[in-house]
Amino acid sequence: MVSKNVLRKLSNQELEGYLKEGNRFVPEAVQAAFEILEERGRVFNEQEKTAVQQLIQNKKEEEQAKHTEEVEVWKDHVTEDPNAVKLHSRITILVVSVFFGTIPGAILLFLNLIQLKKYPAAILALIYGFLFFMVQKYVLLSNFDPNSISRLSPEIGVIAVGALGLIIIWVVATPKKLPYRQKSYVLPVILCVASAVLIYFYFQEWFSYYPLARTIHLFRQW
């Protein structure tokens, strides 16, 4: 958000810098500087006005292009191309991590990165998955009352942060806009079943704050 009141504190010479080619100011700031200079009596000829408007338009197009590029980077490029590499998809890793913990999600991401020969990132993903799983219970028990009744769910928030961390590692470590085919769900299902078994037997020790674990715990009480 550009504040005209802030720009009004600048001198005419400083505001003129906003209208020069190659400046780093956002288009809204350029427009505001132009209007303030006009308010102060600066007379622009038609050529100068055209140049300023063209500068503003160019900056808007640059911002749009940058935004589009950022969207493409975060977009999941799943393809049917038979020549594309096979990986466990982002959505699979995200769902597994949210419902069954960061460890199985990290294992899937680890295997992806090993396949892409991103070995340091693969080790980082695995360490992150195990470390976050151990730390998250301490964070929840230390900062939130598990017996409180609230519409807000700190457990879901913390779990979502863990899953998001794995997706960030994916985006940063893999080549941009990498097209890939989705791997079979067999391994994710096996990891989920194994995690469900652990949840069933170690509910109180490690998984009491997982929504799925609470559901399993309710079935155990029947």
Side-chain angles (χ1 to χ4, degrees):
M1 179 67 70
V2 176
S3 172
K4 264 193 174 184
N5 291 330
V6 173
L7 292 181
R8 284 194 174 97
K9 297 177 182 179
L10 302 179
S11 67
N12 285 4
Q13 184 177 0
E14 289 173 315
L15 290 174
E16 290 282 356
Y18 281 67
L19 309 184
K20 293 180 179 178
E21 284 287 348
N23 71 69
R24 298 182 180 180
F25 302 113
V26 297
E28 293 78 12
V30 176
Q31 181 68 44
F34 175 72
E35 292 171 358
I36 292 170
L37 285 169
E38 282 194 316
E39 291 170 5
R40 292 179 181 178
R42 166 77 155 86
V43 178
F44 294 90
N45 59 41
E46 290 304 316
Q47 184 177 357
E48 289 174 324
K49 289 181 180 179
T50 301
V52 170
Q53 293 307 315
Q54 186 61 52
L55 175 62
I56 292 171
Q57 182 61 33
N58 291 342
K59 284 182 172 291
K60 287 181 178 179
E61 291 174 358
E62 288 173 4
E63 283 191 345
Q64 182 60 42
K66 183 178 179 181
H67 174 71
T68 302
E69 178 66 20
E70 289 174 352
V71 170
E72 284 296 312
V73 168
W74 285 92
K75 186 179 177 182
D76 206 10
H77 296 275
V78 180
T79 180
E80 298 297 327
D81 183 356
N83 297 317
V85 63
K86 275 190 172 184
L87 301 172
H88 298 290
S89 71
R90 284 189 199 176
I91 189 65
T92 299
I93 292 173
L94 185 64
V95 170
V96 169
S97 300
V98 168
F99 287 98
F100 297 94
T102 52
I103 291 178
I107 291 172
L108 295 176
L109 181 54
F110 170 82
L111 294 174
N112 279 356
L113 294 172
I114 288 294
Q115 186 168 351
L116 295 173
K117 299 182 179 179
K118 302 290 183 179
Y119 303 116
I123 298 299
L124 174 63
L126 204 58
I127 292 174
Y128 171 85
F130 279 86
L131 189 61
F132 191 92
F133 179 80
M134 291 184 287
V135 169
Q136 64 183 347
K137 184 174 184 178
Y138 170 79
V139 171
L140 288 167
L141 295 181
S142 300
N143 296 280
F144 302 100
D145 180 5
N147 298 316
S148 66
I149 300 175
S150 171
R151 292 183 179 181
L152 300 177
S153 178
E155 298 92 342
I156 290 296
V158 173
I159 291 168
V161 168
L164 181 60
L166 291 174
I167 300 303
I168 290 173
I169 293 174
W170 169 303
V171 172
V172 172
T174 58
K176 292 182 179 180
K177 305 179 187 179
L178 174 70
Y180 70 92
R181 286 181 296 156
Q182 191 163 283
K183 266 190 175 181
S184 166
Y185 290 111
V186 172
L187 180 57
V189 168
I190 291 173
L191 290 175
C192 289
V193 170
S195 298
V197 171
L198 291 174
I199 289 172
Y200 183 86
F201 287 105
Y202 297 98
F203 170 77
Q204 292 294 344
E205 291 84 350
W206 288 104
F207 302 96
S208 58
Y209 43 86
Y210 274 79
L212 179 63
R214 291 176 178 175
T215 303
I216 294 176
H217 183 63
L218 288 176
F219 279 105
R220 290 179 62 183
Q221 294 178 326
W222 288 356

